[in-house]
Amino acid sequence: MPETLPRESGITPKDRPSREWSENRAGLKKRFLHVRSATETLAAPLSAEDQTVQSMPDASPTKWHRAHTSWFFETFLLQPHAPDYVVFDEAYNYLFNSYYEAVGERHPRPQRGMITRPSVAEVTDYRAHVDEAMSRFIDECPADALPLIELGLNHEQQHQELLLTDIKHALSLNPTWPAYRIPGQNPAANDSAPKLRWLDVPAGLHTIGHSGAGFAFDNEGPEHSVFLHDAKIANRPVSIGKYLDFIADGGYGRPDFWLSDGWDAVRRNGWEAPGYWQRDGAVWMTYTLHGRRPVREDEPVAHVSFYEAAAYAAWAGKRLPSEAEWEVSARAHAGGNGHTPALNPHPRHLEPGFSQDVWEWTGSGYLPYPGFRAAKGAVGEYNGKFMVNQMVLRGRSCATPPGHERLTYRNFFGPAARWQFSGFRLAEDI
Amino acid sequence: MPETLPRESGITPKDRPSREWSENRAGLKKRFLHVRSATETLAAPLSAEDQTVQSMPDASPTKWHRAHTSWFFETFLLQPHAPDYVVFDEAYNYLFNSYYEAVGERHPRPQRGMITRPSVAEVTDYRAHVDEAMSRFIDECPADALPLIELGLNHEQQHQELLLTDIKHALSLNPTWPAYRIPGQNPAANDSAPKLRWLDVPAGLHTIGHSGAGFAFDNEGPEHSVFLHDAKIANRPVSIGKYLDFIADGGYGRPDFWLSDGWDAVRRNGWEAPGYWQRDGAVWMTYTLHGRRPVREDEPVAHVSFYEAAAYAAWAGKRLPSEAEWEVSARAHAGGNGHTPALNPHPRHLEPGFSQDVWEWTGSGYLPYPGFRAAKGAVGEYNGKFMVNQMVLRGRSCATPPGHERLTYRNFFGPAARWQFSGFRLAEDI
Amino acid sequence: MPETLPRESGITPKDRPSREWSENRAGLKKRFLHVRSATETLAAPLSAEDQTVQSMPDASPTKWHRAHTSWFFETFLLQPHAPDYVVFDEAYNYLFNSYYEAVGERHPRPQRGMITRPSVAEVTDYRAHVDEAMSRFIDECPADALPLIELGLNHEQQHQELLLTDIKHALSLNPTWPAYRIPGQNPAANDSAPKLRWLDVPAGLHTIGHSGAGFAFDNEGPEHSVFLHDAKIANRPVSIGKYLDFIADGGYGRPDFWLSDGWDAVRRNGWEAPGYWQRDGAVWMTYTLHGRRPVREDEPVAHVSFYEAAAYAAWAGKRLPSEAEWEVSARAHAGGNGHTPALNPHPRHLEPGFSQDVWEWTGSGYLPYPGFRAAKGAVGEYNGKFMVNQMVLRGRSCATPPGHERLTYRNFFGPAARWQFSGFRLAEDI
Amino acid sequence: MPETLPRESGITPKDRPSREWSENRAGLKKRFLHVRSATETLAAPLSAEDQTVQSMPDASPTKWHRAHTSWFFETFLLQPHAPDYVVFDEAYNYLFNSYYEAVGERHPRPQRGMITRPSVAEVTDYRAHVDEAMSRFIDECPADALPLIELGLNHEQQHQELLLTDIKHALSLNPTWPAYRIPGQNPAANDSAPKLRWLDVPAGLHTIGHSGAGFAFDNEGPEHSVFLHDAKIANRPVSIGKYLDFIADGGYGRPDFWLSDGWDAVRRNGWEAPGYWQRDGAVWMTYTLHGRRPVREDEPVAHVSFYEAAAYAAWAGKRLPSEAEWEVSARAHAGGNGHTPALNPHPRHLEPGFSQDVWEWTGSGYLPYPGFRAAKGAVGEYNGKFMVNQMVLRGRSCATPPGHERLTYRNFFGPAARWQFSGFRLAEDI
């Protein structure tokens, strides 16, 4: 095994392994196998046909997610650092590279749904091949490689969430609205929404960003100071009940509430409700991973774009919080019991805890923190090159793998995106 | 069983059953089962993944072809005329209607690749369900229904050809160029092209079109007189060897050979050779259903658009034949031994016979013959409503099911289409 | 002066000058000045602003028409054949070439509206410069050049008609609906439509196409035989009154009347009436070159696409005539008084005469006649390269310059075009 | 005259008139006439044809700018507040509303180039009509109206700059590259670039934003605290000489320097140099308002998108400054002599002063300042509804009217925009 990883692997001092993993390879291996198997569990209810289709350029086939996450370990760990590793199939480097320009040419993103071969079964074999090699690699690799393994696991968890949101979009296009899983796994869905309260955000210098203990993506740092003004922030996201008031008040037909680009999106796309909603007579129905059913007033609104979140806030005479306000409040109100929410196929209100079952649009553009520098090499493409034209979302969602969430986490999507479990909470100046 | 079929079924006196089937239901049933099973044979090498994808709006998934051809029998025969027939799945009427406005709303054509459910296995069950019901129906149905069964079988044969051309397109988009079948099934592929000869087309009144004996599509009639001028027509389609001369002479870069719309297509699509050709150094490679290999000079050129055929003809100082010239010549030179060409995954030159292994673009627009009237009702949408913006192709191709070809057959595609096995032969005025 | 024109000028024996011009240069010069000045008369009511804009890629600015028609004389006559001719501005060859690939690169068609310079005044100077040179040229040029001058004049008359239809489209986009001319110049507009009669088209061999006496475009020949079947043809185009019945009967909402591509066009464009019609409460208004006013039932319907003409015919249980049927009937019923209809800013029914105030869609594709060959060189691009994807229109329209019409004339547009004064008459089989 | 302006006029306490104008109506009138006449001076070299065209949806015709700025005074001041005012033409409210939803329907932006009527001459009359009415209005109006007049004048100055950048774009599409003005008005164009120096940005709390004295747009406030980290900022924008090094180093071909969306833009648009640059053999030529000429190394680079600015910064190992860093530095280094740069048809380096002849892309998204609230009513649409998907530019450009610039000014465009005089300077962390 090579003694040290080359610089260009993207492992910089700031990414040094969190202590628990670097001192405990057995624990890392266990976690590796756990994360890898969680992907397969999510894919299990899906047929070969389901796993192959791509319903829009933003989404990817299930099969592709399963292969690409394996490609990540093969490309960034096994190929450069495991001397005896035998590549599973040379063609996969072209087929399953997502966006790493430094790694070479790749299959065009909108054509991922055309990859009928390799088959689902071959991808299963590919995953087993990589898992076996990685199991050996974790035992023997230099300590410097461990942060990159940790990155690979966090990367795979991100794709687990995308796998769910992408297959939801694909299945929703089938006019028979098939369920991903049978109903009945969401017993708390009729819980009432927690009472709305307003939490203080005190003016002054605050510190946000990740400080270096434990894993974090590069875009979460560096930790830095930020000056906030006096404000208030809601204790939970907006619920469907209130959002229905916005709709009933003509919200989707009144340009004065909307950003100009948002109003264009409303008219161009014919939006008159959140994503996956369809009017059925007097009732709003929604497609969920459990199938189609009426919307429920006590759930947080989800599948809204940033434009809709901002329009609702204008209608309500409020605004969206900045990501700094969100993080400062989350630190203050996160609750102390280390409660980890479970994976849930549809969002509901959670209590206690600040983060909830929907990613929350903030009023902050996705831009680098002061002092941010992308790593050199391919891994440096992970986050930095997307820092324009997107808005930051904070928190987590019902589709976020348990343990993947973090108060400093910066999720990001374009302002028109609706296929994620995206909601929002309100804030206001004092 | 109903005594007579209602008018709106589309069965008109002109479509009365050819004698052999109406007097021999056992023969018709045998033929029914033969055609139906031929579809399954073509689909057999394809995985569930292969059968699901749609590579462009013009093409359809294999699974869709298999279900749609069954839907045709269910919708036009079993549902209206078989009293005890139980519909397999109500949703299929929406999912697998192709373009029959009279039958109701249908799934948008460009979204056929999103139908991951029903699965390939369920479609197999659907076919068995329909086959069983049709087997009984053929024994008991009124004689008036027989022409519609015959139409359904010819319809299914058309989709067999589309199944092959569509899957060729889909597999060609996979950068690993997978083969539909293993090489070796095309032993005659290295035959030399027959010597080019020019056949006379004598001036005068000729009769073309289908006369009523045996099955024909409505667009092949009525039989009628047409006046032709003295001309000559080639005895076979243009071969790749000559087409390479056209390319070498700068054919794709000289607007004077091209129709104006053709020249636009060349520049917009970046065409510099027929479809599926790719330059690999000094060699032109082509993707075939057997996989990728160099082009062969002695094969007929295929996968060219009407625009390319017309440009080649202009370059050669000739023209394309009209469909009347083609049919008159084919009748005169068809050969007398009833030779039926076999299905062949790639075109080669055939001898003897006028029709060859490629559909041949003619210079005739796809327009109604004098006296043509579409049938009333849904079946009347079969051909008539497409009579604009398309050119007529005559003959057959290597993918045409044996026995489906006919000298009066009028195939038609838009002038830019290249995914069919489309070539051309030349003609000239005297 | 050169003794003979080079071959590549496009002048072939078949285009030899009609006797009256070749023997009478004074007459030709008079006609030249008359046609040229007619263009200026049409442009006179238009401001510099009006003359500059291009309202869609199919249309051209008035200024461009005025310059391009001058460019034609400069490029095909003065530059190659007038030894002392001084080019007005070298840049114009790029700016005002329409589509002649053989003459070199040219300004992109959709960008014609960006040519703010040269100014309208400079184009006026350009026209005077060309007129002066041509006046001398006509006196001195070789006889062989005369057919090309005649072609240039007919070309200019075509652009006169386009000038009117293009400016109608441009002005119609102004929400104030300005009039090109003041109302009152169309006194016969309230005439009642002539009684509808059905004329016989006798079966048998007929001769159509231009025979060589007098000027004709190359696409009108060669004269040739065609076999027709027994049919009837209406004595005049369909009037607005009947077309309103089609609309009232749901014609724009019933796919069974429409060609498939036509039905797509209806839905994509939201058509629910002919071009320039707008519903104003219970009344259909139409924009005319005189301004906006209610439609009048006794006028022929205009600004319909081929798709609408074909759908109306299907609704009426009839069909469109072929161009051969139209020409044979027109020869038989043209009337003997040499009546030349006047330019008229809006179509009305004319009596007597077969040709009327609207171009008439036929059921014939725009394809070469038997034996047609385009001329060599740039002039050969005039008509031949457009012979695909278009339908033939016959007759003339209210915007056709008097004297430009001809019974063998083949006009052609794509089946969705509506900005010409395009109507149709019906035919039926016997 | 009404005693007070209604609330919905958008005049809020925060917008109260700066003292000099409210106490000196004569001065305001003089300034009004000066600004209005400056627009006419800019339009004077342009013909009616030039003033009519719209070269892309982002740009507007000169005539439209002249009319729209008049419409602003008519709509927001004269119509609601001048009792005897007679509207010039009712249709103008539809034609010349830019984007104010609250004022009603308006002409579609991409169709502004179709408005051939009213003519340029009529627009001149319209301006005179409004000027006369405004002259009287300024004498008599309530003091509350004065801030809105001031807003109208600043609005008109913004359109003066757009008039220049829009006509540059339109004229550049003419293949003869006409000059807006004759060469020779830019005598300092060969000045050498000032020596590059790095200025300190000290860490700590800073105050930015407009404080209320004198006019400012609403998006410049409220004044607020921001925490900055230690950094350095360049004393001037990047010059063409250095930018040529970036190009020569393959900058436009190496994805590692580019944001992902930027790289897409490079490939989709075929960018290989700044806007208006064209390679002519070994020389880079540029189109300027003076005509076409070689680029000059000592000028600041202009007509670059945010993407190009960010890619250059990555190539140089630096970054773009935030808008707060820019403003803090500009306040510290603005120089004390109140020097106002002159209008200049092409950017050059200026000395002394921080602001230069190009707008400078910053790394800051265009988002509301803490505490920002848009005004109620139509005027509230002025800036707020554009606060997404755009980046902030700071400074001024050679086309900014003298006196219009301000250190707190926040200009904004989408990251792909290049038709403004947009450059950038570098910053770096310490």
Side-chain angles (χ1 to χ4, degrees), chain B residues 83-100:
Chain B
D84 301 329
Y85 180 70
V86 178
V87 167
F88 185 76
D89 188 320
E90 294 288 351
Y92 288 16
N93 191 44
Y94 181 87
L95 291 173
F96 299 122
N97 178 359
S98 54
Y99 56 68
Y100 295 87

Side-chain angles (χ1 to χ4, degrees), chain B residues 331-392:
Chain B
R331 286 177 193 245
H333 301 279
N337 58 359
H339 168 76
T340 292
L343 206 63
N344 186 9
H346 202 69
R348 51 184 178 135
H349 284 295
L350 302 179
E351 205 164 15
F354 194 83
S355 290
Q356 297 279 321
D357 256 7
V358 287
W359 286 102
E360 300 176 30
W361 290 107
T362 69
S364 299
Y366 179 54
L367 296 167
Y369 278 168
F372 171 81
R373 285 229 141 180
K376 291 279 177 200
V379 169
E381 299 184 48
Y382 200 98
N383 277 308
K385 74 180 185 181
F386 301 107
M387 289 180 171
V388 69
N389 296 331
Q390 316 214 50
M391 301 304 287
V392 171

Side-chain angles (χ1 to χ4, degrees), chain B residues 7-278:
Chain B
R7 269 272 134 171
E8 55 273 31
S9 70
I11 299 181
T12 64
K14 143 184 166 310
D15 289 323
R16 71 181 158 286
S18 56
R19 196 170 348 162
E20 59 262 52
W21 301 133
S22 65
E23 295 181 352
N24 185 351
R25 287 171 190 260
L28 177 59
K29 191 192 291 187
K30 187 173 161 194
R31 181 162 132 77
F32 175 85
L33 296 172
H34 173 75
V35 169
R36 294 283 290 169
S37 112
T39 302
E40 298 300 86
T41 301
L42 293 175
L46 299 169
S47 68
E49 293 92 327
D50 293 334
Q51 293 197 33
T52 299
V53 299
Q54 179 179 34
S55 58
M56 61 171 169
D58 283 339
S60 297
T62 300
K63 189 173 75 178
W64 191 92
H65 285 301
R66 293 173 61 219
H68 165 69
T69 47
S70 308
W71 168 91
F72 190 97
F73 290 108
E74 187 176 61
T75 302
F76 293 120
L77 288 154
L78 295 172
Q79 280 198 272
H81 306 306
D84 301 329
Y85 180 70
V86 178
V87 167
F88 185 76
D89 188 320
E90 294 288 351
Y92 288 16
N93 191 44
Y94 181 87
L95 291 173
F96 299 122
N97 178 359
S98 54
Y99 56 68
Y100 295 87
E101 303 274 355
V103 178
E105 291 293 307
R106 64 204 167 284
H107 194 62
R109 179 173 188 129
Q111 295 288 320
R112 287 179 185 165
M114 292 302 112
I115 308 174
T116 62
R117 305 180 189 188
S119 67
V120 163
E122 286 168 311
V123 166
T124 301
D125 291 346
Y126 179 38
R127 290 184 64 89
H129 177 86
V130 167
D131 286 353
E132 192 181 288
M134 281 297 298
S135 291
R136 282 197 309 273
F137 183 74
I138 292 172
D139 290 336
E140 300 166 5
C141 71
D144 281 10
L146 298 173
L148 207 45
I149 298 173
E150 205 165 349
L151 179 61
L153 294 177
N154 279 273
H155 171 258
E156 180 134 359
Q157 288 181 309
Q158 291 185 311
H159 279 277
Q160 288 168 4
E161 178 154 4
L162 292 172
L163 186 158
L164 286 173
T165 53
D166 290 356
I167 199 67
K168 178 171 181 176
H169 189 264
L171 294 176
S172 80
L173 295 181
N174 191 311
T176 64
W177 295 300
Y180 165 67
R181 284 178 179 165
I182 53 166
Q185 301 183 332
N186 192 2
N190 290 313
D191 286 352
S192 63
K195 186 171 161 45
L196 184 70
R197 287 178 298 115
W198 293 92
L199 314 172
D200 285 327
V201 181
L205 270 184
H206 295 270
T207 299
I208 67 165
H210 194 260
S211 63
F215 175 84
F217 289 111
D218 59 355
N219 64 2
E220 299 173 48
E223 192 185 42
H224 64 283
S225 295
V226 62
F227 185 83
L228 297 184
H229 297 77
D230 277 317
K232 288 185 177 298
I233 189 168
N235 65 321
R236 62 156 175 81
V238 168
S239 64
I240 285 178
K242 290 299 291 178
Y243 201 85
L244 286 167
D245 291 346
F246 168 65
I247 296 176
D249 197 30
Y252 281 87
R254 293 171 55 182
D256 44 322
F257 300 139
W258 294 80
L259 288 161
S260 182
D261 286 358
W263 184 240
D264 284 349
V266 165
R267 285 184 295 184
R268 190 170 55 247
N269 301 309
W271 289 345
E272 48 179 19
Y276 298 121
W277 288 31
Q278 291 172 318

Side-chain angles (χ1 to χ4, degrees), chain D residues 142-331:
Chain D
D144 281 7
L146 297 173
L148 206 46
I149 298 173
E150 204 164 350
L151 179 62
L153 294 177
N154 278 274
H155 171 258
E156 181 136 357
Q157 287 181 310
Q158 291 184 310
H159 279 276
Q160 288 167 5
E161 178 154 3
L162 291 173
L163 186 159
L164 286 173
T165 53
D166 290 356
I167 199 66
K168 178 172 181 176
H169 189 265
L171 293 177
S172 80
L173 295 182
N174 191 311
T176 63
W177 296 300
Y180 165 70
R181 284 177 179 166
I182 52 166
Q185 301 183 334
N186 192 2
N190 291 314
D191 286 351
S192 63
K195 186 170 159 47
L196 184 69
R197 288 178 297 116
W198 292 91
L199 313 173
D200 285 326
V201 181
L205 271 184
H206 295 269
T207 299
I208 67 165
H210 194 259
S211 62
F215 174 84
F217 289 111
D218 58 356
N219 64 2
E220 298 173 49
E223 192 184 41
H224 63 283
S225 295
V226 62
F227 184 84
L228 296 184
H229 299 77
D230 277 316
K232 286 185 177 297
I233 190 168
N235 65 323
R236 61 156 175 82
V238 168
S239 64
I240 285 177
K242 291 297 290 178
Y243 201 85
L244 286 167
D245 292 346
F246 169 65
I247 295 176
D249 197 29
Y252 281 87
R254 292 172 56 183
D256 45 320
F257 299 139
W258 294 78
L259 288 161
S260 182
D261 286 357
W263 185 240
D264 285 348
V266 165
R267 285 183 297 183
R268 191 171 52 248
N269 301 310
W271 287 346
E272 49 180 18
Y276 299 121
W277 287 32
Q278 291 171 318
R279 206 191 291 272
D280 186 2
V283 178
W284 282 107
M285 302 293 286
T286 187
Y287 175 72
T288 78
L289 284 168
H290 281 163
R292 195 164 174 250
R293 61 156 173 76
V295 302
R296 292 175 185 154
E297 300 206 357
D298 273 340
E299 290 174 352
V301 68
H303 298 301
V304 291
S305 62
F306 170 78
Y307 296 133
E308 287 159 298
Y312 178 96
W315 171 80
K318 303 282 192 289
R319 61 170 173 82
L320 300 178
S322 69
E323 64 169 321
E325 290 171 330
W326 195 98
E327 184 174 328
V328 165
S329 304
R331 286 176 194 246

